[in-house]
Amino acid sequence: MLLILLCHLESCNFDRNDQNIRHGEKLAVKYCSNCHLAPSPSLLDKKTWSDDVMPAMANQLGIEVLEGNVYLHTKQSVISNQDWAKLRAYYATLAPDSLVQKRSALVAKKSWSVFMLKKPPYDSTEISTTLMTTISTDNQHIYTSSMNNPGLDKWDKVFDKARLMPLKSAAVDLSFNDEKRIITSMGGMRAMDYTIGEIMLLKESGHKVTARKLSDIYIRPIQTRPADLNKDGLIDYIVCSFGHTKGGLFWEKQLPDKTFQKIAIREVPGATQTETGDYNGDGWPDIIALFAHGDEGIWLFLNDRNGGFITKNLVRFPPVYGSSSFQLADMNNDGKIDIIYTAGDNSDYSRILKPYHGLYVFLNIGNLRFSQPEFYPLNGCTKAMAADFDLDGDMDIATISFFADLKNKPEQKFVLFQNTSIPVKGRYLLQPFYIPIEKNGRWICMDVDDYDGDGDKDVVLGNFSKGFLNHEDFKADWDIHTPFVVLENRVKGQQ
């Protein structure tokens, strides 16, 4: 009889625990989905949920967090104490003790592939904090900007440097519109709402440089692109403002008197990157944009031809993914643009190695609908850029990983994925190459273009060697002084 009673009580406890877990899952959907996809407990380990993410979540729900993860409910709390306990229990119960890292089915080759290394003279007086590298094909120069002594610098083919102009903070983006250089300075590294950046328009004429300010009101602007969005013959600008709880995607609309009007396209923090084009074939420019930080994903903004946009989500990710870049390219030669996407930002609340960080390729199956992605695991993947590096008629991909597994897989800081399929419609096959430059720097930025004017695509990588070490008891084992390196493509030279 006692045994039956104990079994009954234990069964009741299991039922109660199961009910609490189901209730916790519903609470996660209810409270998390207001801002982003509700993350699965499996995406992080128990300790990270408990010590790092839950306190951040509590703040968003109006719960005061005291030392030792003590939670204090107030009148501003939007969730009851009982429901908060069930929500925490849901993640604590179902989260794994640790995350299992994924291994790629592809065997990487350690080789220079199509590249040879070039770098500027060694300078041991300064730790490299390069935040931007951009290739200009019109004058075959490299433009850079660093957190230390911020300004815009220009390097020629023999790596002589000229300071074009000082800046209040380092530039993180440079784009071109005819003779103008569009400079975006984000104002600081921290994703806080008080970090105000600056957008400048610069013009070079021989040795004369003139600059004027476009805007200094954006919260951490990280990209600015020119586009005539309303087809009035005046160049407008699309601005990505990352922010923390504020920010978004904005249109700097140029007016006939040459002033600008700020228009919000999607006022959600985390706007990271855009590409423009006529994506529905109506003759008007549309926008595809990546959002990170919270509600992560890629959105299409179709021009309604009346000063507004019709918004459509293309792909969406949980908020712990760390979306870091995207590009549009036809990977399988079927005439449709595919999405190349990277996840790997690891500077937020959950600074652990994540098995879902890496390179993703979403194939376009028609009408901007995308298939389940091909995935290539790369810890901390920061950026991917597609180009036909080996000039065989299909698209290859270069990747950098700032938050790579620096202890165990430093060779993944830069990986070339070479498309080995013959350019047949509907097919592609990537072969990874570990280019042996892991001792030359830690890459936070990258650009791809024909630097030397010989007809093939080169790569420039910016070295940031100050802080952001998520590994315990680890010191930089790479060159911390060289600001950037060039991977010069040798394909044309060998033909």
Side-chain angles (χ1 to χ4, degrees):
M1 184 67 183
L2 177 60
L3 181 60
I4 294 173
L5 178 61
L6 289 174
C7 289
H8 176 70
L9 290 174
E10 190 170 340
S11 175
C12 288
N13 286 334
F14 277 127
D15 290 342
R16 190 178 301 112
N17 289 337
D18 192 48
Q19 288 174 5
N20 286 338
I21 289 172
R22 287 199 299 269
H23 191 192
E25 183 178 15
K26 291 178 181 178
L27 291 170
V29 172
K30 176 181 178 180
Y31 289 103
C32 299
S33 298
N34 289 331
C35 301
H36 49 68
L37 280 179
S40 166
S42 64
L43 293 175
L44 299 172
D45 61 87
K46 282 180 168 57
K47 186 177 186 303
T48 304
W49 278 118
S50 173
D51 295 352
D52 302 312
V53 177
M54 282 310 204
M57 188 185 298
N59 284 324
Q60 297 296 318
L61 296 174
I63 304 170
E64 187 176 347
V65 183
L66 307 179
E67 287 187 16
N69 286 7
V70 176
Y71 297 101
L72 179 64
H73 281 68
T74 66
K75 291 181 179 179
Q76 284 72 41
S77 302
V78 298
I79 185 173
S80 70
N81 189 35
Q82 293 80 9
D83 281 351
W84 174 243
K86 291 175 183 177
L87 183 59
R88 290 175 62 202
Y90 165 64
Y91 284 99
T93 302
L94 297 186
D97 292 328
S98 61
L99 299 184
V100 178
Q101 299 301 310
K102 290 185 178 179
R103 296 185 63 181
S104 176
L106 303 176
V107 178
K109 298 178 181 180
K110 192 156 189 175
S111 164
W112 285 99
S113 183
V114 299
F115 297 120
M116 64 179 293
L117 179 66
K118 287 192 172 183
K119 53 186 180 179
Y122 185 81
D123 181 3
S124 63
T125 62
E126 190 172 328
I127 295 176
S128 177
T129 57
T130 305
L131 286 174
M132 186 202 76
T133 54
T134 303
I135 297 171
S136 171
T137 56
D138 62 354
N139 59 15
Q140 267 119 43
H141 281 74
I142 293 172
Y143 293 82
T144 66
S145 190
S146 300
M147 188 175 72
N148 296 337
N149 189 22
L152 184 66
D153 298 319
K154 183 170 76 168
W155 306 72
D156 64 17
K157 283 187 178 181
V158 296
F159 300 124
D160 285 337
K161 181 175 74 170
R163 170 58 61 100
L164 292 184
M165 64 179 295
L167 296 169
K168 291 181 179 178
S169 64
V172 292
D173 181 66
L174 178 68
S175 58
F176 302 93
N177 178 44
D178 295 330
E179 75 280 4
K180 288 190 182 72
R181 281 75 169 112
I182 307 156
I183 307 163
T184 306
S185 301
M186 67 178 173
M189 296 292 283
R190 298 192 67 188
M192 304 301 292
D193 292 336
Y194 56 73
T195 307
I196 305 301
E198 191 173 44
I199 304 169
M200 302 289 294
L201 302 179
L202 179 145
K203 185 176 180 179
E204 291 182 77
S205 180
H207 295 291
K208 184 180 179 182
V209 176
T210 56
R212 70 183 181 95
K213 188 183 301 180
L214 175 66
S215 177
D216 61 357
I217 63 172
Y218 284 101
I219 300 169
R220 281 184 94 239
I222 60 174
Q223 190 198 65
T224 308
R225 289 290 181 267
D228 183 5
L229 293 177
N230 56 351
K231 297 182 71 172
D232 64 352
L234 301 174
I235 292 298
D236 312 310
Y237 297 95
I238 305 164
V239 180
C240 290
S241 169
F242 196 98
H244 181 59
T245 63
K246 300 177 182 178
L249 183 67
F250 297 93
W251 171 14
E252 284 284 338
K253 178 182 176 182
Q254 187 170 178
L255 304 177
D257 63 358
K258 306 303 181 184
T259 61
F260 289 87
Q261 175 188 1
K262 178 183 176 182
I263 299 172
I265 299 174
R266 184 174 188 250
E267 202 159 359
V268 174
T272 301
Q273 185 184 344
T274 63
E275 291 207 20
T276 56
D278 180 10
Y279 299 119
N280 61 353
D282 66 352
W284 285 70
D286 310 306
I287 303 169
I288 295 179
L290 172 67
F291 283 75
H293 185 58
D295 192 9
E296 301 193 17
I298 298 172
W299 274 263
L300 167 66
F301 301 92
L302 290 172
N303 199 321
D304 69 3
R305 296 177 283 181
N306 194 33
F309 295 88
I310 301 166
T311 303
K312 177 186 177 183
N313 178 250
L314 299 180
V315 289
R316 205 173 179 204
F317 312 100
V320 298
Y321 259 49
S323 299
S324 49
S325 79
F326 88 105
Q327 188 180 354
L328 304 176
D330 183 1
M331 288 301 300
N332 58 350
N333 286 289
D334 66 350
K336 298 189 290 287
I337 55 169
D338 307 310
I339 292 176
I340 300 166
Y341 160 83
T342 61
D345 185 2
N346 221 0
S347 60
D348 215 331
Y349 303 116
S350 54
R351 299 183 180 184
I352 59 172
L353 297 174
K354 301 181 175 78
Y356 40 86
H357 274 180
L359 170 68
Y360 294 74
V361 177
F362 296 83
L363 293 178
N364 189 338
I365 58 177
N367 298 319
L368 290 176
R369 294 176 297 114
F370 295 90
S371 64
Q372 288 296 311
E374 294 286 338
F375 172 62
Y376 307 89
L378 288 171
N379 289 122
C381 195
T382 304
K383 190 172 185 178
M385 297 190 74
D388 184 6
F389 290 105
D390 52 9
L391 299 181
D392 67 347
D394 50 31
M395 299 300 282
D396 314 302
I397 303 174
T399 66
I400 55 171
S401 297
F402 183 68
F403 291 105
D405 184 350
L406 300 173
K407 279 187 176 181
N408 303 305
K409 298 179 181 178
E411 65 276 4
Q412 292 188 349
K413 287 187 287 185
F414 178 83
V415 182
L416 173 67
F417 289 87
Q418 197 165 314
N419 197 334
T420 60
S421 293
I422 58 174
V424 176
K425 181 179 178 181
R427 291 178 51 192
Y428 79 101
L429 178 65
L430 299 182
Q431 168 62 55
F433 285 84
Y434 292 158
I435 311 300
I437 56 171
E438 60 266 26
K439 295 297 184 183
N440 293 102
R442 184 185 181 192
W443 320 119
I444 199 171
C445 53
M446 168 174 61
D447 196 23
V448 171
D449 219 319
D450 186 5
Y451 161 67
D452 51 10
D454 67 350
D456 52 30
K457 299 295 185 182
D458 311 297
V459 181
V460 57
L461 304 173
N463 181 14
F464 192 96
S465 294
K466 189 173 182 179
F468 295 99
L469 293 173
N470 291 344
H471 302 274
E472 293 183 3
D473 304 319
F474 182 78
K475 293 183 179 179
D477 60 356
W478 58 84
D479 176 356
I480 64 173
H481 300 293
T482 301
F484 66 90
V485 301
V486 175
L487 295 176
E488 186 174 294
N489 197 325
R490 301 172 298 165
V491 171
K492 272 292 185 180
Q494 293 176 344
Q495 290 180 344

